[in-house]
Amino acid sequence: MPDINYNPDVLNCLANLSNDEVFTPPEIANQMLDILPSEIWQDKNATFLDPVSKSGVFLREIAKRLMAGLEDQIPDQQQRINHIFKNQLYGIAITELTALLSRRSVYCSKKANGKYSICEIFDDEQGNILYGKIKHDWKSGKCIYCGASEENYDRGDSLESHAYQFIHVENPEEIFNMKFDVIIGNPPYQLGDGGHGASATPIYQKFVQQAIKLKPRYLTMIIPSRWFAGGRVGDLSKFRDEILNDDRLRIIHDFIKASDCFPGVEIKGGVCYFLWDRDNSGLCKVISHDKGIVKSVLERPLLENDLDIFIRINEAIPILRKVLKFKEDSFSKIVSANDPFGFDVRVKNSMKRVKPKYKLQSFKESVSFYYYGWQEKGLGHIDKKYIKKNLKWVNLYAVYISKAYGAGEGFPHQIINKPFLGMKRSCCSETYIIIGPYKTEQKAKNVISYIRTKFFRFLVLLKKNTQEARRNVYSLVPMQDFNEDWSDEKLYKKYGLTNDEIAFIESMIRPMEL
């Protein structure tokens, strides 16, 4: 029999705006608040800002804690409510709709000064939850603040511009003309740039950077974990460098699967929330979660020696340290750049590809052509005059592997697609990258034996947190002597791995079928 007294939290029942603008469940909001020092809930002068308010959940849950924490200092309930909502809680909504929703959640009225508002002393409708229609500032076809494309986001007033107020000012302190003790939120994750999926431009890092400019005592946000190792060069690379060299980042809660935080939402590479503590520097406590369970906890530096990425798997740290001690060249040095033969040609002013002119039967002077779907439709054959790059590789033995492989695969992981041997007089489309190539078939086969090992793919896992499997994901893999073949047993012995370390690798990586 259903519980007739069951009263669900309405903020648990909201449909997400998109996979990039997701509502934060109250449970996750409270977990993020739990990493703040408990004494802050007894501080009647502490100020809190959600600069990307969608549902108002953070401000609502903060209000609950302050109402309990300040009861002794401000015994009268209405006086306490007025003080907290007027002097301590502030928000910036991301759209007009979320402004109304946030005010309804926080003030119990879509108008802060309305008849039903629980705070009696606001003199305007917005209260402390602001929303202003902001325009992008275009220069050379891009917004100077967020990088949005003028072609895609220069819209009429009837459409949402996605020009978020918090990151469209040089000095965010001017929005409220004050500083904040705590900044907390769940920012929008990316803006489409005319492509799809990974081609969209990340913007979550801009909210973190803008928040740090305000110099709060504490900053906590929930963002994609892609910044640990992946992402485009430029803004995200700069952000990663800034954060990983900032020893005020004291706690990271890392979720391999975003659905553990946001049910029904898939965000490649998972999500994390963190605590940045302005006045306390030191090591970072990394807490790894999977399927609702804390898998590991380790206090450690954000950066290992000679690395420029964050290793998200705590158990991998001692293994990686043993590998790095050998100071071997990186396997990535023998991995080609994307589109090794120059077939990634686009229609002018379009993202649409020009399909290479290949045939399914060989012809005089043709070169074997590996393309997406060749194993089902048959090997292609193409005139070598269409090869725009690396023509000399055609006469060598190459190892081919796809430049993408699903990040959402089952556990344990395969990590990358199966490599295959390309015989002489062959080339490939942009679907694949090349390893090598080599003068002898045996040397190429020895490379494949190495790629198939769990050891190899475990080290790839440390950098690969999306489906992209381009050259950079192989940078932590050490080079070997490919005059011999390789097995996990040989590699475990070479690097002196313990039984526990071997067992961990074996638990993470599944065998690669022939």
Side-chain angles (χ1 to χ4, degrees), residues 13-25 186 262-265:
C13 305
L14 295 172
N16 289 315
L17 303 175
S18 71
N19 270 17
D20 304 315
E21 295 176 342
V22 296
F23 290 114
T24 311
N186 177 15
F262 306 115
V265 174

Side-chain angles (χ1 to χ4, degrees), residues 318-329:
I319 298 172
L320 184 60
R321 287 173 179 170
K322 290 180 178 181
V323 172
L324 294 177
K325 277 185 179 180
F326 279 68
K327 298 186 181 300
E328 295 165 309
D329 285 342

